[in-house]
Amino acid sequence: MGGFLDSYLLLCVCLTLVFCCSPSLCSVSSSPPSSCKLRRKFHLNGMHKPGDVVLGGLFEVHYTSVFPEWTFTSEPQQPSCKGFDTLGFRHAMTMAFAIDEINKNSNLLPNLTLGYSLYDNCGALIIGFSGALSLASGQVDQFLLQDNCLGTPPVLGIVGDHYSTFSIAISNVLGLYKIPTVSYFATCSCLSDRQRFPSFFRTIPSDAFQSVKELILKHFGWTWVGLLVSDDDYGLHVAQSLQSDLAQSGGGCLAYLEVLPWDSDPSELKRIVYLIKTSTARVVIVFAHEIHMIQLMEEVVRQNVTGLQWIASEAWTSAAVLQTPRFMPYLSGTLGIAIRRGEIPGLRAFLLQIRPDLHHNNSWIEVGGKSCTGDEDIGNVETEFLDLSNLRPEYNVYKAVYALVYALDNILQCEPGRGPFSEHSCATLKTLEPWQLLHYLQKVNFTTPFGDQVSFDENGDASPIYDIMNWLWLPDGRIKVQNVGEVKKSVFKGEELTLDEDKIFWNFESKEPPRSVCSESCPPGTRMARKKGEPECCFDCIPCSEGKISNKDFWSSPQRDYCVPKKTEFLSYHEPLGICLTTTSLLGTFICAVVLGIFIYHRSTPMVRANNSELSFLLLVSLKLCFLCSLLFIGRPRLWTCQLRHAAFGISFVLCVSCILVKTMVVLAVFKASKPGGGASLKWFGAVQQRGTVLALTCIQAVICTAWLVSASTAPHKNTEYHNDKIVYECVVGSTIGFAVLLGYIGFLAILSFLLAFLARNLPDNFNEAKFITFSMLIFCAVWVAFVPAYVNSPGKYADAVEVFAILASSFGLLVALFGPKCYIILLRPEKNTKKAIMGREKRKS
């Protein structure tokens, strides 16, 4: 469909150049006024009335078109219109009536005559689009240009079009010129996109409010339904949104989704109806136009498909062409949503006085059709044209005209110096541009004589409200469509569905709502088991077995009458063990932050400077990360926590141990440099080399973690092997080799640090950092050597607790051993925190 519209957009760009713009095509005189000629004049069915300001309208007065063969050996002929649409003609006459009513109203647009130019789209996009271009450019062969190019455009605004697809194509182009269009029937939610359609408005709710369907389904418990849509923007957007909404809300499943063909392909219709007939879904939702439903119902009658509950979209809820004795045995009981019904006083009298000879610019009579004489009296004849008891699209047309008029009236009431445009200017009738009307149309707010408030939201959409209709086939053969409820949306209450169920007629022997579910609820003593490859609404009911595992998530009750969900066990934040470990982790993080603050505050003192302050700061940050990573092992396992916990743990500890290793190497290098001839060794341990070494060692661990997660990622797993009556929720490591390599790399760096520090344990006192490192590494290695057997032999949540304990114990060991003595001197023995005191210790020992 997108390619179809793109082709038309390309056509739009070409056709909008309706005026000639080059000397070779224009007849230009040496002095103004100059004249221009239309590049193409479309021969369209239309009806026109002159006025000071003209509004345009696009209506479906004929519901189909016949396309000639285009050989391009002669001038291409336009499609011809067929099939007079009585209701479409009444929609157009409603606009004519509204403008006539406004011209008689002295309170609206005083001293100004409103005119109209109405075109027939003939149910074809190319004709509707031609009409829109004609409204935007005019249809006069030649016209004079004023010297200052002032004057109102051919039309200031357009009411229409009827179809969403037509409105999309038209608004894509007219939006470039900011010509406002107000549709009375186009519902596609895509038209709410203000970036693509900046000048589109509508007086009918958007399909985004079609959640009314979900409300009805939920109300009657229909979780298994079929969906039929038309092959256009209207149907396809609804299919996408409804399918998505049902999946997100869990309110039901689609048994099938079928697209009704435009070309009434008999074989395709036969296949679709056979699918409906054989499906277990008893509820069928149809978002399609009248012509689709006529074709569909002909096949339904042929295959005699009964026992279905039809749900109608607003496009055919009130379609009289379907309310016939041939279709009603199948469609009786239909529930549908209908756009808001209204009353238009005076419309009947206006329709009765319509005469062909009173409208000389009326070209809507079909070729070969018989014209009226004007003397006929149709007031006492029951016709669809004069049945005004159910004015719905007409009411939207009426509101659309008044919305444009109220916006225009507000423009003309603007006080100079207080306007909304540049320098607080106002628009005048002579200088009025369509984009100026858009500004006022967005803010329009009025109440109709029927009592409905009309305004537009930021997307140009009307306030959403629908009536719920029910089709009845009475015993005397009469057909009635009655209102049984409404659904509306408000800011405070959201979406509300109101139904009078006592009034609803059900076309079933039981006279009750049908059941439409894929699988009935499981009886006591059984559990649900989803069918493989089927929607979640379809499942089998499997008996619960006494004393045996009936399912990995369920256990049978002692009475074997229902399935009991198994208890789920994991290391929780709410249990005492989890609370204790969480508190300890946060305490360690806090202490690290305090020590870091102390070191930063005393960074210029000899004690801090002598112990490689930059590496000390980095070491404290890495210890904070070690404490915090333990929190990932607590709480319900999720995919991201399972993947992150070991990666964070491995990288944090490698960063920590790398800092210690580099500090040890620096201590040895400094001691060697203090001896005669050893100064050259320090050049390999400058600040840049230290940072690079830490970064390189940490990156190796990051590569190990990445390879592990990519090849065999850790994931949450419900383990039922430890206990029969409960589930242990844990993270499986995915790859034991990956976990072993991660721990082995940490152990390798820790042992290397321990060995180097052990070799440097007998250095003089001013190099006694090595003693603290030796002690800290001894604690670290002891903790993790004890961890491995404890971890392997601990089931479920206790394995996580063991790992958290090992992380916290080793982190506290490093923190206390490395920074405890330094903080003691900095805070409690400041007299020893001097260069003389630190250097003097070596002299006293020697």
Side-chain angles (χ1 to χ4, degrees):
M1 199 67 198
F4 176 69
L5 284 179
D6 290 343
S7 300
Y8 266 103
L9 289 180
L10 182 59
L11 174 66
C12 297
V13 175
C14 299
L15 291 180
T16 47
L17 301 174
V18 292
F19 304 119
C20 59
C21 301
S22 65
S24 62
L25 295 176
C26 281
S27 170
V28 182
S29 61
S30 59
S31 61
S34 61
S35 65
C36 282
K37 187 175 182 180
L38 287 170
R39 185 180 296 276
R40 174 73 185 275
K41 183 176 181 180
F42 303 110
H43 301 287
L44 303 166
N45 295 333
M47 180 175 172
H48 311 276
K49 179 179 180 179
D52 301 320
V53 174
V54 178
L55 297 181
L58 295 168
F59 300 94
E60 188 186 67
V61 181
H62 293 84
Y63 56 79
T64 188
S65 301
V66 178
F67 285 78
E69 184 179 357
W70 288 337
T71 62
F72 298 102
T73 57
S74 60
E75 181 179 356
Q77 298 299 309
Q78 290 189 189
S80 58
C81 304
K82 297 293 182 182
F84 187 75
D85 190 335
T86 304
L87 294 183
F89 178 67
R90 191 169 73 185
H91 299 163
M93 291 301 98
T94 302
M95 180 171 178
F97 163 76
I99 289 178
D100 185 66
E101 184 180 69
I102 291 165
N103 284 332
K104 296 176 182 178
N105 188 345
S106 59
N107 296 322
L108 269 178
L109 304 180
N111 305 319
L112 187 149
T113 301
L114 201 60
Y116 55 74
S117 187
L118 313 180
Y119 285 118
D120 179 9
N121 67 28
C122 298
L125 175 55
I126 188 171
I127 298 178
F129 197 88
S130 301
L133 293 177
S134 298
L135 290 173
S137 64
Q139 278 279 63
V140 182
D141 282 334
Q142 282 192 326
F143 59 93
L144 298 180
L145 291 176
Q146 299 179 16
D147 294 340
N148 57 4
C149 293
L150 298 179
T152 56
V155 296
L156 272 177
I158 297 174
V159 174
D161 195 296
H162 180 92
Y163 293 107
S164 292
T165 297
F166 293 15
S167 294
I168 290 169
I170 292 167
S171 299
N172 261 314
V173 173
L174 297 191
L176 298 175
Y177 303 99
K178 307 302 183 287
I179 298 176
T181 58
V182 186
S183 177
Y184 58 93
F185 215 70
T187 61
C188 181
S189 57
C190 58
L191 285 162
S192 298
D193 185 346
R194 262 309 184 238
Q195 299 299 316
R196 285 185 63 192
F197 311 106
S199 63
F200 179 82
F201 296 79
R202 53 182 155 198
T203 51
I204 185 172
S206 160
D207 280 337
F209 187 59
Q210 293 290 9
S211 56
V212 59
K213 290 288 192 304
E214 294 178 63
L215 295 176
I216 294 175
L217 298 180
K218 183 178 180 181
H219 182 84
F220 291 109
W222 295 331
T223 59
W224 187 237
V225 298
L227 177 62
L228 306 178
V229 298
S230 56
D231 189 11
D232 57 9
D233 297 276
Y234 168 67
L236 298 178
H237 273 85
V238 167
Q240 183 179 9
S241 62
L242 185 60
Q243 200 169 19
S244 174
D245 292 343
L246 286 176
Q248 291 178 4
S249 66
C253 306
L254 292 182
Y256 52 84
L257 168 58
E258 293 294 331
V259 179
L260 298 174
W262 271 102
D263 56 2
S264 66
D265 181 1
S267 61
E268 181 67 6
L269 284 173
K270 185 176 182 180
R271 182 192 65 81
I272 292 174
V273 173
Y274 182 76
L275 174 63
I276 297 172
K277 184 177 182 179
T278 56
S279 173
T280 56
R282 309 320 302 157
V283 176
V284 185
I285 304 174
V286 185
F287 274 86
H289 306 288
E290 291 181 19
I291 187 65
H292 294 113
M293 280 303 300
I294 294 171
Q295 297 163 355
L296 177 69
M297 292 311 300
E298 290 289 351
E299 185 61 34
V300 167
V301 172
R302 276 192 288 270
Q303 296 193 31
N304 192 27
V305 184
T306 59
L308 296 177
Q309 177 62 50
W310 296 89
I311 305 293
S313 66
E314 79 291 332
W316 63 277
T317 292
S318 303
V321 70
L322 292 168
Q323 297 162 13
T324 65
R326 176 172 170 80
F327 293 152
M328 284 305 290
Y330 306 91
L331 289 177
S332 183
T334 292
L335 284 175
I337 59 171
I339 54 182
R340 179 73 165 173
R341 188 191 72 85
E343 293 181 5
I344 307 176
L347 178 59
R348 179 180 174 84
F350 180 83
L351 296 178
L352 285 171
Q353 57 88 33
I354 292 174
R355 298 289 187 273
D357 58 326
L358 297 180
H359 301 281
H360 301 292
N361 292 323
N362 184 355
S363 60
W364 282 348
I365 301 299
E366 286 187 45
V367 176
K370 185 178 179 181
S371 300
C372 300
T373 64
D375 297 327
E376 291 84 1
D377 181 12
I378 62 172
N380 297 322
V381 180
E382 288 188 10
T383 63
E384 185 182 32
F385 183 67
L386 291 177
D387 181 8
L388 307 184
S389 62
N390 200 29
L391 296 177
R392 298 182 186 277
E394 294 84 357
Y395 189 45
N396 281 349
V397 172
Y398 186 78
K399 291 189 289 185
V401 174
Y402 268 88
L404 288 167
V405 169
Y406 270 102
L408 180 59
D409 189 62
N410 291 336
I411 286 178
L412 300 181
Q413 292 182 16
C414 177
E415 298 180 18
R418 295 186 177 181
F421 307 116
S422 60
E423 300 180 354
H424 302 288
S425 63
C426 295
T428 64
L429 192 59
K430 289 186 178 181
T431 61
L432 185 58
E433 293 287 342
W435 62 265
Q436 294 173 315
L437 185 63
L438 273 178
H439 171 80
Y440 284 91
L441 187 59
Q442 185 70 62
K443 299 178 181 296
V444 78
N445 193 331
F446 65 94
T447 303
T448 68
F450 191 58
D452 288 333
Q453 189 176 13
V454 178
S455 62
F456 302 105
D457 63 16
E458 65 277 6
N459 297 319
D461 294 329
S463 301
I465 182 169
Y466 279 108
D467 291 333
I468 309 298
M469 310 303 294
N470 182 223
W471 291 20
L472 286 80
W473 195 23
L474 302 175
D476 59 4
R478 290 185 298 114
I479 297 168
K480 180 181 179 182
V481 179
Q482 64 175 355
N483 191 325
V484 294
E486 71 172 14
V487 60
K488 59 184 177 180
K489 186 176 183 180
S490 62
V491 177
F492 302 103
K493 296 183 179 180
E495 297 172 353
E496 293 182 281
L497 172 66
T498 305
L499 276 178
D500 187 352
E501 293 192 48
D502 294 334
K503 292 175 62 177
I504 299 177
F505 171 76
W506 303 104
N507 192 25
F508 303 96
E509 291 184 4
S510 64
K511 303 302 178 184
E512 292 182 352
R515 290 281 295 166
S516 187
V517 296
C518 183
S519 300
E520 294 290 347
S521 299
C522 290
T526 62
R527 62 172 179 84
M528 292 189 301
R530 184 173 172 180
K531 294 181 179 179
K532 187 175 182 181
E534 301 245 353
E536 61 181 13
C537 300
C538 303
F539 49 84
D540 291 320
C541 296
I542 299 177
C544 295
S545 302
E546 182 180 16
K548 296 181 180 179
I549 298 175
S550 59
N551 180 268
K552 66 177 182 179
D553 294 335
F554 293 92
W555 182 257
S556 65
S557 66
Q559 295 79 21
R560 297 178 58 191
D561 56 352
Y562 63 94
C563 297
V564 181
K566 294 180 181 179
K567 293 182 179 179
T568 303
E569 182 183 82
F570 56 88
L571 185 58
S572 171
Y573 284 107
H574 305 292
E575 61 180 297
L577 180 58
I579 294 173
C580 180
L581 293 175
T582 301
T583 304
T584 307
S585 173
L586 296 177
L587 176 64
T589 305
F590 175 73
I591 294 174
C592 283
V594 171
V595 173
L596 181 60
I598 293 172
F599 267 59
I600 292 175
Y601 184 77
H602 296 277
R603 62 186 178 277
S604 58
T605 62
M607 177 59 68
V608 176
R609 296 178 64 186
N611 287 282
N612 201 327
S613 58
E614 184 175 347
L615 283 178
S616 296
F617 294 154
L618 186 58
L619 179 57
L620 284 168
V621 170
S622 64
L623 281 173
K624 284 180 66 176
L625 295 176
C626 292
F627 280 114
L628 289 174
C629 76
S630 62
L631 298 177
L632 294 171
F633 293 82
I634 307 173
R636 178 180 289 273
R638 289 180 170 82
L639 180 61
W640 70 272
T641 57
C642 288
Q643 292 178 334
L644 188 60
R645 59 168 57 174
H646 287 114
F649 152 70
I651 293 173
S652 299
F653 268 94
V654 164
L655 178 61
C656 178
V657 176
S658 297
C659 292
I660 295 173
L661 177 61
V662 173
K663 282 172 70 74
T664 307
M665 296 168 68
V666 170
V667 168
L668 290 172
V670 170
F671 176 72
K672 187 175 181 181
S674 65
K675 295 183 177 181
S681 61
L682 278 179
K683 69 178 182 179
W684 299 105
F685 294 95
V688 175
Q689 286 81 3
Q690 293 175 32
R691 298 191 202 105
T693 304
V694 171
L695 179 62
L697 294 174
T698 306
C699 285
I700 294 174
Q701 183 72 307
V703 171
I704 293 173
C705 293
T706 302
W708 175 19
L709 294 178
V710 170
S711 61
S713 177
T714 57
H717 172 65
K718 293 181 178 180
N719 194 326
T720 57
E721 296 178 0
Y722 295 132
H723 309 280
N724 285 338
D725 58 345
K726 63 182 177 181
I727 300 170
V728 176
Y729 210 6
E730 60 185 4
C731 290
V732 292
V733 296
S735 170
T736 306
I737 295 176
F739 189 35
V741 172
L742 181 142
L743 288 178
Y745 183 63
I746 297 174
F748 168 74
L749 294 179
I751 293 172
L752 185 60
S753 299
F754 172 74
L755 292 176
L756 291 176
F758 182 78
L759 294 175
R761 70 188 185 285
N762 293 322
L763 295 180
D765 281 356
N766 57 326
F767 298 104
N768 66 356
E769 178 83 358
K771 294 181 180 179
F772 299 139
I773 293 175
T774 303
F775 185 60
S776 66
M777 286 294 99
L778 188 61
I779 297 174
F780 185 88
C781 293
V783 168
W784 286 102
V785 167
F787 158 77
V788 174
Y791 180 82
V792 171
N793 291 289
S794 298
K797 67 177 183 180
Y798 298 105
D800 291 334
V802 167
E803 191 163 356
V804 172
F805 178 80
I807 292 171
L808 295 177
S810 57
S811 299
F812 270 114
L814 295 176
L815 179 64
V816 173
L818 292 175
F819 295 97
K822 299 179 181 64
C823 289
Y824 171 76
I825 292 175
I826 292 172
L827 297 177
L828 302 178
R829 303 294 298 272
E831 69 277 5
K832 293 186 176 182
N833 191 8
T834 62
K835 185 175 181 180
K836 182 178 180 181
I838 293 175
M839 298 302 295
R841 278 184 287 176
E842 183 183 5
K843 294 177 182 177
R844 284 195 301 272
K845 277 201 110 172
S846 58

